[in-house]
Amino acid sequence: MTAVQTPRADSSAEASAVSKLVARVKRVVASNPSVLPTVAAIVIFIGMVIYGEVAYGRIVQANTLSNLLINNAHLIILAVAMTFVILTGGIDLSVGSIIALSSVAGVMLSNAGWDPLVVIVLMILIGTVFGLASGILIQYFNVQPFIATLAMMFLGRGLAALLSTQPERLPEDSPIRWLGEQFKVVDGEKVNDVVVTPGVVIALLVVLAAFFVLHRTRTGRTVYAIGGSESSSALMGLAVPRTKVLVYVISGTLSGVAAVVYTSRLGIAQNITGIGWELDAIAATVIGGTLLTGGYGYVLGSVIGALVLGLMNVLITRDGGIPPEMTTIITGGILLVFVLLQRAVTSKRHT
Amino acid sequence: MSTDARWSWLRELIRKPFFWGLIAIVALLALNVLKDPNYLALSINPVNGNLVGNVVDILRASAPILMIAVGMSLVIATGGIDLSVGSVMAVSGAVAMVFMKEAGESGSLGAALGAIGLALLVSAVLGAVNGVLVAYVGLQPFISTLIMMLAGRGIAKVITEGQNTSATNDPFRWIANGFVIGLPVVFLLAILIVLVVGFVVRRSALGLMIEAIGINPKASRMAGIKPNGLLLTVYILSAVLAGIAGIMSVGTVMTVDVSRTGYQMELDAILAVVIGGTSLAGGKFSIGGAVVGGLLIATLDKTIVFLGISSSATPAFKAIVIVVLCLLQSERVRSWFVQRRRPPQGRMTPSPAPVKQENQEVTA
């Protein structure tokens, strides 16, 4: 990735390195075409970075890139959560409203004088309970994932509105805000500081943990197997019911974590927080190369997908000419391109 | 003999999937009557002879939901889903409002008809894009209509340049607020369209072919049904009906709110279809069921506001309805009831129910 980004010094050696990299990627794609959408996402992300740097400047600098991470930490967590669910061939529409309920409840409890640690744990547990409910409905009562999580979405949104329809504010000295506080890791010249928040660290830890679980554990393999064919996995003796419930529990819990990260950064919670975030998360996952029918996809791809969406927002704000109303059209367009790409790849595999 | 016939009629009704929806409507109305004994009272406005009352309000509010629920039930019958209806409503409303604002003159029938025609045309185009993506490109309905849902909101915003646009036009306003023979125009219009659509799909082979696609696309193709054209038609129809719903809902206030008009209507429509007993897996559909579902949602919305609960809390009550319905429909819960009713079995014979259960889990 870095080799592509900086082809300036030592041009001949760099060029051969780039061509070697390209050849290697070609080999990987040829042996496993389902990687192609993820590779395409990486290429598009790099392309967007280069385009942004050339057209608007101030993109490839530590400040902008750290802000990209800080502002999208919650989306990265949601995309990781959604990857688990979509890999099994399911869908989770409830993530946005879990964030609303968990944030509003958390801020209200915190303002009522509860211990911040207890509040944070409760915020995460709210997500866990919602995920568990979806999972049980789906696995044990044969409700379609779409409908079960839709019900949870309605429930979360409604309960959040019952709690409060006003913006709830964390006091400036609340310890929860510490999670959103910015720390300079590298003190660069002028604005070139590498800045992280504990929220970003949490997001990165979530990504690492998800990577480990999906690619290095038996549970992860079962997740992929269910997406490939649920009945075959059941016949193979894999723990299908347990894993399916677990996937929704993971998704709900991570939504709770995302709520903590987001609330700590903004300090405000409202019952309309997170409207449409389930769509952003689905878009990030799909752009990152996860097949909506399940079975194929990568956690790191979803992270790239989330960053593509985040960077797109940055570029649109930088370019004064694109009206902000166009954002969702562009998101839709990008999503369409990626789905068509996946369609082309999968149809090639079948024939 | 006569009592037997009466019972079988009742048993038939209970077996109808939308029976529980009807029960829920009655229960909600009863709840309202408990709070205010005059809730169901209808009176006639002495000035213009229109019916006035809460029930009329519910009927009027149900009109847009009925429109999109009917379109949605056809789409779901093909095994698809249309998530874009809410956005299409916003686009249709935006087109109509901007057109009438540009036309300027208030009260012109021509401007109203032009606005309606253009709004429906744009809706049909959006529906055609969905249909082409699903039928010819072969994308999953969920993702193609999701893209249209994202893009549609943006298109509505681009049309109005991000502003909520108002216009004045009396004939257009009449559609949403007028009365004919004492009943709201929107409701009569909705019922008329529902009847026409229902008649067309049930009196021709169209409904059967739509169901065939939903049950088994491959088999229906081998039986000589061409799915592509049908799918395209169904998605266009769904979008046009959503366009009509959009005209109805912006007509009430003569303003399009690009981020709120039709917001989460797709969920209401899906809920209405599920209440109506149509399985989301596709195959069979019931327009009558969708109508019952639409009426239930409108009743639920009005009841919650009437009981003094914030309308933004309605989703929680809808969630309870969905969960209860899904549980009632699930095999596991049904088997509990069946086992309870079954005469006690000998200890030696194993009960057949758990065995069946296990098989289903494997194949599911």
Side-chain angles (χ1 to χ4, degrees), chain A residues 91 93 137 139-144 146-148 150-159 161-162 165 230-231 234-235 241 271-272 275-276 278-280 282-283 286 291-293 323 325-326 328-329 331-333 335-337 339-340 343, chain B residues 81 83 133 137-140 142-143 146-147 149-151 153-155 157-158 161-162 260 263-264 267-268 270-271 274 279-281 309-310 312-320 322-323 326-327 330-333 336 360-364:
Chain A
I91 197 97
L93 299 179
L137 278 176
Q139 178 55 41
Y140 294 104
F141 295 98
N142 264 330
V143 182
Q144 283 159 335
F146 179 82
I147 286 298
L150 182 74
M152 290 305 132
M153 168 184 177
F154 274 144
L155 192 62
R157 195 63 70 194
L159 290 180
L162 277 181
T165 50
E230 192 177 330
S231 42
L235 290 173
N271 64 318
I272 52 171
I275 283 181
E278 53 282 338
L279 302 180
D280 286 345
I282 294 170
V286 170
L291 224 58
L292 261 180
T293 41
E325 301 91 56
M326 295 284 287
T328 51
I329 300 184
T331 314
L335 198 54
L336 180 61
V337 169
V339 176
L340 290 177
R343 174 82 199 149
Chain B
I81 196 129
L83 297 180
L133 287 180
V137 183
L139 291 186
Q140 292 172 45
F142 178 83
I143 193 75
L146 181 73
I147 291 168
M149 172 187 183
L150 281 174
R153 265 298 143 210
I155 293 171
K157 284 182 183 167
V158 167
E161 290 166 346
R260 304 279 322 167
Y263 172 69
Q264 291 201 338
L267 304 179
D268 275 356
I270 294 166
L271 179 54
V274 174
S279 156
L280 277 176
I309 303 166
S310 154
S312 45
T314 17
F317 297 90
K318 287 180 185 165
I320 295 168
I322 304 177
V323 170
C326 287
L327 290 182
S330 86
E331 288 293 331
R332 187 174 290 250
V333 173
W336 292 345
Q360 266 166 353
E361 257 169 49
V362 173
T363 49

Side-chain angles (χ1 to χ4, degrees), chain A residues 241-264:
Chain A
R242 204 190 62 199
T243 312
K244 258 175 89 184
V245 175
L246 181 70
V247 156
Y248 290 93
V249 169
I250 290 175
S251 170
T253 309
L254 288 185
S255 306
V257 175
V260 173
V261 168
Y262 183 76
T263 316
S264 66

